[in-house]
Amino acid sequence: MSETRIGLFVGSIASLVMVFLVLPQVILLVQSFTAEDYLSFPPRLALVIGTAAAIGLDRGPMVLRKAMRTALVSPMILPHVVLGMAIYRVFLPIRFDDTVTGFLIAHLVLCVPYVIVTVGASLQGMDRSLEQAAVSLGASVPMALWRVVLPLIRPGLIGGAVFAFITSFDEFIVTYFLASRQTTAPIQIFSSLSYQLEPSIAAVSGLTLVVTAALCGLLILRGGMAGTARVA
Amino acid sequence: MASEASLPSVLAPPGAKGMWLVCLKRYGWWGLLAPALLLYALVFFLPLSVLVADSLHPSGAADLSLANYNAFFTDGITLSIFLRTVRLALFVTLACLVFGYPLALFMRRAGPAMRMVALTIVVSPLLTSVIVRNVAWLLVLGREGMVNTLLRNAGLIDGPLPLLYNTFGVVVGVTHVYLAFLVLPVFSALLAIDPSTEQAAASLGASRFTVFRRVTLPMSMAGVIAGSTLVFVLTMGVYLTPVIMGGSFVTTLPMVMTDLVRTQFDFSRAAAFGVMLLVFITAILIASSRAEKRIEQMRGEMP
């Protein structure tokens, strides 16, 4: 009787100790992902806004096209420190700083350029005659865009989605300005880094890496296969 | 070019519906652009304008003043930090050129499978989290890190080399990511070169080095300029890598600005420094696009 009791006792102590050891890392991870939960939203919205803008740029008015393209892509080159400061300054009076909505809007403007660039490249490589054929067979322009153009530029859409996701997931400095209590994974890891380089940081970093890599791989694989299936 | 051709020009039915279609045709594209333009107006152009306006009102003063810009040049520390940031960016650009150009050359010669592998490796740092990347470098370059341990075990050094918390460490960390921004434009410029030009030069008796110096390098110059400009400009704005890998021993202008906002609450001065950074970067970009255009023209004049 006591044999099993002691075994049980030791076992439970051991598992408690193990939980004690693992808990901080798990909490760090879980916390960072709950914040990322919201942040999976900007990439999707950025994909819609960016794709619409890329099509508009590609097909739309010639007037101001070059200036507009430059303006729409410029957040890629602009130092994020400057943009982060500026957005913080504007969000502060309207109490948008340190809110998830604020993060979301700020991340959106960082993600959209990547979508515009990748989708724009796909649009330029696309065979226009297919779309013209659809239109000449009686499809309306929106219909041709939806049924012909969008499936054809699928690789560009997926590439844009991947880049937008990574940009948002990995964004540091803009969020750093905006955040005081709400955080994202990079900021969590960074603030624990300021004290000491702990092995748990490396572990969490490793996990983050695996998650990002797996997600990208999955997206690229699915997109690539779907893309070839459509073309073939 | 073909943008008009893609629109149905003959399908507009008569009547109200026709009017609607005409309107759609004329303004529909603007409708597609509208969400992005609205977003940018509110979260990009408005904040930047406010930034410029703030920079001209030093800490709450009502009237316009250039005091903040004056401070940039005369406060004795900011200008030197700015110059050190420029130096860092030059180091990184140089490192990217030295390591990236040969890699792009290799990728051009490689077969499709090898090319795919190399491309994936070049892009992989971009797909990794900044923090993760920097933590990994801390583990590699630290006092007890991989490099020092290996060198010491091999008996090559006595004490640990100072690889981290100095300019060297930051250059390594930044080069690691931004290498892709150099390799990709150079690679595509190299791909655009017709191999027969090089073969012609070689068949006329040029040595391999001469072919490279007189044909390959000049013809890939547009890519080199585009890539190194991108790397330089991006490095000017880098924040996290110097903070983590430079410790408190490497200070860049973005670090100064962040410190001004977050701990000294002097937003208007930080804004002025930000505007200076933007002006500098814009000047570099304009100069570089001029240079690229001139190279294009020279290529156009060649038979």
Side-chain angles (χ1 to χ4, degrees):
Chain A
M1 152 225 158
S2 60
E3 278 295 302
T4 50
R5 279 252 175 111
I6 289 172
L8 212 67
F9 182 69
V10 171
S12 51
I13 293 275
S15 23
L16 272 179
V17 171
M18 280 191 279
V19 167
F20 165 76
L21 287 175
V22 169
L23 199 64
Q25 290 92 303
V26 172
I27 285 181
L28 181 64
L29 196 72
V30 167
Q31 218 180 346
S32 57
F33 278 113
T34 47
E36 293 315 330
D37 234 21
Y38 304 107
L39 293 183
S40 71
F41 190 61
R44 278 184 240 161
L45 198 54
L47 190 63
V48 176
I49 296 179
T51 306
I55 294 175
L57 268 183
D58 196 58
R59 306 296 160 79
M62 293 296 281
V63 216
L64 294 176
R65 179 180 291 180
K66 214 176 157 206
M68 227 150 35
R69 174 178 287 278
T70 313
L72 287 175
V73 172
S74 53
M76 278 169 88
I77 296 208
L78 187 89
H80 284 188
V81 176
V82 178
L83 190 58
M85 257 168 57
I87 291 179
Y88 173 66
R89 167 70 179 76
V90 174
F91 278 6
L92 199 57
I94 55 171
R95 302 193 176 261
F96 251 27
D97 66 306
D98 207 27
T99 63
V100 173
T101 325
F103 289 4
L104 200 149
I105 296 172
H107 280 209
L108 211 50
V109 89
L110 299 173
C111 296
V112 167
Y114 289 96
V115 179
I116 292 181
V117 167
T118 45
V119 173
S122 279
L123 278 171
Q124 278 185 346
M126 201 195 86
D127 187 357
R128 276 289 173 81
S129 55
L130 292 170
E131 185 191 350
Q132 284 156 15
V135 170
S136 74
L137 289 170
S140 65
V141 175
M143 174 76 103
L145 281 179
W146 185 254
R147 300 290 291 272
V148 178
V149 175
L150 280 187
L152 279 174
I153 58 170
R154 200 188 172 96
L157 293 177
I158 286 162
V162 169
F163 268 104
F165 171 77
I166 290 163
T167 312
S168 177
F169 187 77
D170 194 30
E171 149 54 33
F172 176 80
I173 188 72
V174 173
T175 324
Y176 186 59
F177 273 111
L178 294 177
S180 44
R181 275 162 299 141
Q182 303 278 355
T183 50
T184 62
I187 290 181
Q188 284 272 345
I189 302 175
F190 178 73
S191 36
S192 33
L193 253 186
S194 341
Y195 303 114
Q196 202 183 352
L197 179 55
E198 296 167 34
S200 68
I201 305 273
V204 173
S205 305
L207 271 172
T208 325
L209 182 65
V210 170
V211 170
T212 331
L215 231 138
C216 291
L218 198 76
L219 266 173
I220 291 168
L221 213 66
R222 264 185 61 190
M225 270 149 57
T228 43
R230 291 273 179 159
V231 172
Chain B
M1 291 167 279
S3 59
E4 294 85 5
S6 67
L7 294 170
S9 45
V10 288
L11 294 177
K17 205 180 168 198
M19 279 305 291
W20 188 78
L21 265 180
V22 167
C23 271
L24 188 75
K25 220 165 84 181
R26 191 164 296 165
Y27 302 110
W29 305 118
W30 285 104
L32 285 178
L33 278 166
L37 292 178
L38 183 72
L39 176 77
Y40 276 60
L42 290 179
V43 197
F44 189 69
F45 293 108
L46 174 73
L48 288 180
S49 326
V50 171
L51 189 83
V52 174
D54 270 10
S55 72
L56 295 168
H57 293 280
S59 41
D63 40 345
L64 294 177
S65 146
L66 286 174
N68 283 324
Y69 291 93
N70 218 5
F72 181 89
F73 295 101
T74 54
D75 71 356
I77 180 89
T78 312
L79 190 63
S80 78
I81 288 176
F82 171 75
L83 291 177
R84 257 182 282 164
T85 314
V86 172
R87 197 185 63 166
L88 177 75
L90 284 175
F91 279 153
V92 171
T93 312
L94 199 68
C96 282
L97 275 173
V98 168
F99 295 113
Y101 197 95
L103 184 60
L105 270 181
F106 166 80
M107 278 161 65
R108 179 195 182 201
R109 304 247 167 98
M114 194 61 222
R115 199 178 269 180
M116 202 58 215
V117 170
L119 218 69
T120 314
I121 292 177
V122 167
V123 180
S124 65
L126 291 177
L127 304 179
T128 328
S129 160
V130 204
I131 306 250
V132 176
R133 226 187 298 124
N134 283 321
V135 169
W137 276 115
L138 291 183
L139 298 177
V140 172
L141 294 180
R143 278 178 70 87
E144 304 295 325
M146 204 183 77
V147 173
N148 272 325
T149 312
L150 277 179
L151 285 178
R152 201 176 321 162
N153 288 349
L156 290 172
I157 51 168
D158 297 325
L161 293 176
L163 301 173
L164 212 56
Y165 305 127
N166 52 27
T167 308
F168 175 81
V170 180
V171 169
V172 169
V174 179
T175 305
H176 180 220
V177 213
Y178 290 161
L179 198 60
F181 291 108
L182 187 107
V183 171
L184 295 180
V186 172
F187 176 58
S188 68
L190 284 172
L191 275 189
I193 299 176
D194 185 354
S196 61
T197 348
E198 286 158 323
Q199 282 156 15
S203 74
L204 290 171
S207 68
R208 286 187 73 168
F209 179 70
T210 313
V211 171
F212 172 75
R213 196 169 57 87
R214 302 292 297 272
V215 181
T216 316
L217 187 61
M219 290 186 84
S220 63
M221 214 51 200
V224 169
I225 290 176
S228 33
T229 310
L230 206 55
V231 170
F232 183 84
V233 164
L234 287 172
T235 309
M236 284 304 292
V238 80
Y239 171 83
L240 201 56
T241 308
V243 169
I244 295 181
M245 297 188 59
S248 45
F249 300 100
V250 180
T251 315
T252 61
L253 195 61
M255 284 162 74
V256 173
M257 282 151 48
T258 312
D259 186 54
L260 277 172
V261 172
R262 286 195 62 110
T263 59
Q264 302 184 38
F265 305 106
D266 192 349
F267 188 85
S268 65
R269 180 154 297 183
F273 293 176
V275 172
M276 290 299 293
L277 187 60
L278 283 190
V279 168
F280 179 72
I281 285 176
T282 313
I284 298 276
L285 288 173
I286 290 173
S288 137
S289 84
R290 285 239 175 111
E292 259 178 84
K293 244 177 225 153
R294 185 168 296 175
I295 285 173
E296 287 296 314
Q297 278 170 4
M298 273 159 60
R299 280 186 88 171
E301 282 160 17
M302 281 193 299

